[in-house]
Amino acid sequence: MSKAWQHPYVNVFKHFKIEEWKKSTKEGDVTTFMDKTLKCTVYRIRGPVPASNYILLPKTSTQSLGLTGRYLYLLFKPIPDKHFVVHLDVATEDGQVIRVSFSNLFKEFKSTATWLQFPFLCGAAKGSVYESTARTARQDLVGPAPASVRWICLMMDLQYLLSMYLNRRYSHLKSIKLCASMLLKNLFTSDLLIDPGLTFIEAKQSGAVMQGSGPMPREMCFPVPKGGSWHDLYDYIRFPSDGGKMPFDSIQKGQATAGATHSNVVRELPRNVNLSKPVQDRVSLIQQITSPKPRPHRRAPLLAASVPELPPVSSASQSRSLHDSWQAEALESDRKEDPGASGDGVALLTADDGGIHVFAHRDKEISVHRHKSSTEETVCTRVTGPVSLPAKKVAEHTKMQPDPILKLNRIIGFGGCTTKCTLWTKTGTAVVYPCHAVIVSMDIASGQQRFFIGHTDKVSALTFNGNCTLLASAQTGNLSVVRVWNYQKGSCLSLFKTHTHSVSSLSFSYSGGVLCGVGKDNHGKTMVVVWNTLKANKGGEVVVMAKAHTDVDIQTMKIAFFDDTRMVSCGRDNIRLWRVRSGSLRSCPVNLAEYHAVEFTDVAFEQGHFADREPEDRTLFACSKSGHILEIDYMSVSIKNVRRLLPSQQKHSQRREKQTFSTGLGIAINSISISSAFCATGSDDGYLRLWPLDFSTVFLEAEHEGPVSLVNIGPEGAHVLAATSTGNLGYLDVSSRAYSTLMRSHTDTVLGFSIDGIRRNIVTVSLDNSVRVWDIDSMQQLFDFISEDTPCAVAFHPVQHVFACGFSSGLVRVFNIASSSLLAEHKQHRGQVIGLAFSPDGENMYSAGCLGSLALYNSVEEDHHILRVLGNVVARGSERSPEALTVSSDSRSLAFVGPAEYTVTVMDARSLDELMRIDVSILDLLSTSLDSAVKVCFAPVATGHLLVTTSSNKILWMNAKSGRLIREIPNAHKHVCSSVSVTDDARFLLTAGDKAVKVWDYHMKHDINFQVFVGHSQPVQQVTFTSDQLGVVTAGDAVYIWDFLANPHEPQESREVPAPAPAVTQSPFKSVSVGDPELHLSRALLSNGMPREAVPVPSSSSPPCLDISVIERTGQGFFSLCEEIEGSALGSSSAGAVRGSFLRVTVPPSSKERGKPSLQNELDLLRDDVLREEEEEQEEEREKTLVRPDAYKHFTPRFRTSALAQDAVAPPAGEESLRLKAVIGYNGNGRGNMVWNPDTGLFAYSCGSVVVLEDLHAGSQKHWVGHTEEISTLAVTNDAQTVASASGGSDGTCSLICIWNVKDGSRRSTISYHKGAVQAMTYSRDDFFLLSAGDYRDPAIALWSTNSYQLLTSVRLAEPIHDLSFNPASASQLACVGSGGAMFCLIEQQGKDVRLKVHKAPVPEELGEVELTALCYSADSILYTGTNSGRVCAWDSHTSRCFMTWEADEGEIGVLLCRGNRVMSGSNTNRIRLWAVAAVQGMRHQSSGDRSSSVLLEHEMLLDGTVVSAAFDDVMDMGIVGTTTGTLWYINWEENTSIRLISGHKNKVNDVAFSPDEGHFATCAQDGSVRVWAAPSIELVVQFQVLNQGCLCMAWSPASPSQEHSDSKRVAAGYSDGTLRVFSILSSEMELKLHPHPVAVTAIQYSADGQVVLSGGKDGLMAVSSPRTGMTIRIISDHKGATISCIECTKKQYNEFGLEGSEMWLAASSDRRVSIWAADWMKDKCELIDWLSFPAPALDEEESDSQPPSLAAFSPSEPGVVLYVGYGMEREITFYSLHQKRIIRKIALSHWATCLSLSPRGQLITVGCNERLIKLIKSRNGKFQDFTAHSDVVHVCRFTPSGKLLFTSAYNEILLWEVRGL
């Protein structure tokens, strides 16, 4: 919904033209009249009944105002002695409409899920009797408005109301209803905080609009007489309330208004609040606060009475005496932990560097520290106005020591704005380069760095003078500045503006007297400026010598070293020579002739002095993007020679030889550098090359990771510096041919980092999608992980050499650095991971997602498995990344901002149980805006503090146990504080805000309590202290490492930066030791950085014509959607294979050597392999002996040949193009896979691998997707708040049990134990335990704790188990039944140890050899069990004895339920029976036997299949029963009725068809059934059943204007016996039966006009039949011998393709042939347009049966284009143009397609795959997304006619998706 037009406000009455009453409604007594107070016309709404007299906007309830403003302002006046009511309908982001009402009729606050009611307390005129009475009797104000009521401006914060009261997100205001009795001026909405008492002049002077507030719009203003006060005449009410003593759930005038805060500097400090624990209803989101205690009426005066009369400028002595007296009084009372913590006197609270002190009243141990960069002191007194004193420096002020407390030591980073400015010093021992806003000088031997700090934006250019004494630098930005530095001293000599935008090039003359710069002027034209810098070294100013504007492009410009007045430049299409003469700057272009269109990148002069030549008689070299190197005679300004660098290919893996081309592009050269002996070039192919000056051959080269952006030959030509655009900086030693890397860098913002204090490593994550591990001391990069999605948060394990990383896709990956392996991968979050933390003890790991989820992991185990997942607990959004979570130093508490941005939650770190919730928005009751929390940080446990930073730039000290506010620092930074850290001894606090870093005294005991440090050019993302507390690390644009000087240093020797390894072992890519056997293998992919001997030789003069050599590859010229994914260097994950997300790991030599296995290790591995093989053989032998029990009750997974794709590309959270809308059917193959709770209305069942939650009243569905295999069973807790679902494992893995939170649908946890499928699950009566049983392959029972879902104990049994249950009378008793009889179990607990004691009870002999298949407990501990012979046994659970049996059915009993004195049984005879068992209790002490006469059969029902699940209410009156046919029945015993609730197919679904209007759809299945469904409700309308035949295909008759409406209500279906049947939906009858085929009909389709039906058979014959007469019109045998797989029809132009007819159709057969036909059925014409055959590799007979089908379709978006997919040479979709008679495009697929559908709108293609994938593809560009909700092969996919919905089917699972586009 657009907001632009609604800014800054919307005048509602004016916008909706209320006076015309066209868009609004008035009812009853609504009139207008002239109000004398406001002097304007207002509306009067009167009447005894408010509901009958009102104004309603908009006119009808179906319309919406659509007002998105956060604040609603209502200008009204209650009519005296009357009541009024206002109703606001507010829409939330999830589509819910909430009514917010307020009235003086309401006595108290009320809240429901959709309605908030607030009482309105009417105020009175100032000074009236009513007002004075109201001060002491506020509870009596509810009622009619007083006689002296005034006009009111009411502001309501709608966003805050919904967020805090109902935990919902505000979207827009839908409607407003204003009811009698009131006077109404207007109402408006805005996102600004409006102060009605603020004038426009005052607002402009104070800059209020810039701060999100402003004055009242003129058309809304109330008149105020000159000299009067708005607040004396009218009432301003803000809700939520702004007063300190008013309840939070009523609307009334506050004590302190906005106007007061503007006019009076005296400010009440926040008081203590008592925060209660969260309650369980919706109002719990607002923390209950108590009224603060009243202040003492008597307190010491702050100032003498004469103080307010001080003159404007007071003497220094007066100021000092006043200050000293107040300071003494304040310091005298400062006795406790926090300044100003007790007493009622005056406290001096200072926390700034500008001498700014705020004197405030002490109030309940809360202190406020203010520091504003003002030049005057503001003294807050009790008088009406402030007293201003001149600023002064007081000698007694104490500061934090030492000063400075931080010293910048190292920066890991390079570049920022440019990587083309790197310089050698004169001696060649150091290099100077930019790192964002800092200039770094690094010694190449020791790695020590010096810094030049002063620029406020990124450095864009650097240059030295000839002897490197002066350094000039420029910064980017609109107003670029240049600094001139003394290089040796590091001091700035001069700073001046350039008056250009973004200086891109600087050049110093050799003498240092002239500086030349290039930039852009205000009009975007190139501007060249030359400055005189002779006086800069002596402190003089820099003056402009000359400047020029030009239209030519200049990439670089250099001053000639032999003449300060001569320059040369190059750029796109030009090389120019410049000269300064007589104060003007002139240029001369070089005649480039045929090279006039070349882009030149760099120039360099020939070096050296020649006695026989003039200084300017030398050669100028220029390089270009096209690979040309031009040699130019500087004196004659002419080209002497042209050479070109051309690409070559590698041969024999080691040698490079020249390759001849006749055409083609050269290698782009980015930089050139000339010495007296040789030339160096850097090019886009990543090579630094060294040439002789005649360019005859390359004698040395080094390969880099990215394009080389700069080369620079050092002094004496010993070293050559190279920089790359990917952030690498290094140099080549020419003599030793060794390459050394000086610095690597991220190429984008560093988002976060984590420090390994033990190994002094730091891991960083960046927007460049890389995760890098560095050595803190040497700054060397140790590892480099590249990801497909952006890493957002990272955390080192506190002990192990392991780190975890969270990504934007929601993935959390755990890496082992030592082994370079991926330990675990979890996907618990749907959006970006914004927080990641390990507990300090290393036992747990935590992650938070941007959509509110929070996950707890066990970090003790390598797989870091999930312990608990919570949803909607963390505040949504990514602004708190990467430090959204904080863990206390004792590992006991976890804190974060959430669930709303206004609250901070503290949880138990081990269980995620909530301990406390703090509302920070109510802490400052006088604020004009709501405060929200930004970051949280635990201080050391000894302090008991929790630090919170807020959106209003405050830092709050909270008590970590009670939530009490201890103290606060307002305005800690100019912008929001983005990161916080505290030293281990709690002496210092570190914060970051915008680009600044501050170090604070934690206890605020000084006058100036902080120091500020700058240097970053971008906002600082994260700060922290190092583990040894000797350093500080800050990150944003780069990684800054500071020395922290507050603690004593360790000896300098131990902290020296180690020298780099010998150059021979260095590499730009990874370090390898000499003789490493892996070196030769790595050279194929990575360069070792060593120079090569055989290199490409450039051609001389003009290059010849070049040939284009094309590497042959399959599918060349077509778009490839899925490329082959290289194997990951990380190995496999416990969570599954990594999809090639990580490409490279850089390993140092030491790690490489440590990784080599010893001989003993190899022997150990060999022995482990042998033992593993023996165990696998034993396991195989055991499985061969397993026999499935003879009981239908035992779950058997449906046989599947498919496996889930491991390389599926899941779409990012929130960007899914398909949303699962509905699931059709119920899995009748499950056992106990339906749960229902009549009290809460919970109704859940499984279909395939999806858990479906259905609202039986609304018919809507929710879906839990987390399984990949068929779900076997469900279990629900007794409070219906948690559901457990279980599925079997795939490929031999253990089964999976998912624990779901019913309230928010989040997956709380996943657990796994059983090797086979899970047969049954149940919760104990107290919900403390979950019991699960495996199937016959793993007959074990497992007991789980529901607190943490940890396995408590397990027992493996000898025989299979069918069912289990807890005794409702005792939580420690349970029973299970199976092939071995009944087993009674007892849970024994001794401390933390839990054991399961099992007692096996034999089956009575009279029953014979039977299996006990079902059981249930009665309330009096009688256990009823069912058998596979149809009998029910009653057991005394105390004695474990069967005391009676009766015959309950003729078949196997699979379901038993007991409620009171009733037992229900369900069997495989399709019957459910209800038994009265009241008399059984009296027989438990008698001998066993058949006493069936004591049991009475009350009711019996016959259903449509075997009973597999049931759930009933507490009295067994009504319930739900599931059968194997896929039906769920509602059963009512009292009325003896059964109603079908859910219906689905039992067998494989073969096809789906839709009616043209999408009102209905039809499905057909292998069992011969055709079902017609109502599309909106997914309810079954009619079913047609043909016995003993399978329905293989179907088609819906099209709608045609020439036909009757009823003709489009027919369905044609093809059957396995060769028949076609036409069914009428209206009459629910079969209208026609045809038999055109002797074999099965495999494809069917109506013609586009519906005149004929086309059908294809298994034998390849196609029939054209009339759906009216049933006659077969034509037989087409062109495809004879190959099964017809699909037929499709479409319309065409009548004479298109030169053939008559307005219809076109195609057929595809299994032999990969497609025929396209043109037809005119009215004239009996059908002619072939084209015939397509697609090649494929040969298949043997067995493989041919399983080959993918051949499918074809017409493209809706490209007329005349046919799409084909099928078995062939490649997995791909082929696009064939019928007009061009050729293939025009191909899209590669990752898997063979099993079905195909094209969207009628847009360019979307859907294919299903054997690997259970649904792949949605955009046909134009190949963009795609994968979806994996099915548990088997996806063999049907169909778009609806509108393309808005998509149906997919796998076996009998039918899923309906909403299509959102791609």
Side-chain angles (χ1 to χ4, degrees), residues 456-502:
T456 58
D457 210 333
K458 298 182 187 296
V459 175
S460 58
L462 286 177
T463 183
F464 264 136
N465 66 342
N467 56 11
C468 298
T469 58
L470 294 179
L471 173 68
S473 60
Q475 74 180 44
T476 187
N478 290 335
L479 290 177
S480 184
V481 298
V482 173
R483 287 178 178 264
V484 179
W485 311 80
N486 182 312
Y487 174 71
Q488 298 299 331
K489 297 180 180 179
S491 59
C492 183
L493 302 175
S494 179
L495 167 67
F496 54 92
K497 293 183 179 180
T498 64
H499 305 290
T500 63
H501 296 278
S502 301

Side-chain angles (χ1 to χ4, degrees), residues 424 444 677-678 688 690 699-701 713-721 731-740 1063-1064 1089-1091 1093:
W424 284 106
I444 63 173
F678 61 90
L688 159 67
L690 304 188
F699 64 84
L700 208 57
E701 70 175 4
I713 302 175
E716 307 301 328
H719 300 139
V720 180
L721 193 68
Y731 68 92
L732 178 67
D733 189 299
V734 178
S735 59
S736 66
R737 300 189 174 188
Y739 191 94
S740 299
V1064 71
M1090 296 295 294
E1093 296 181 1

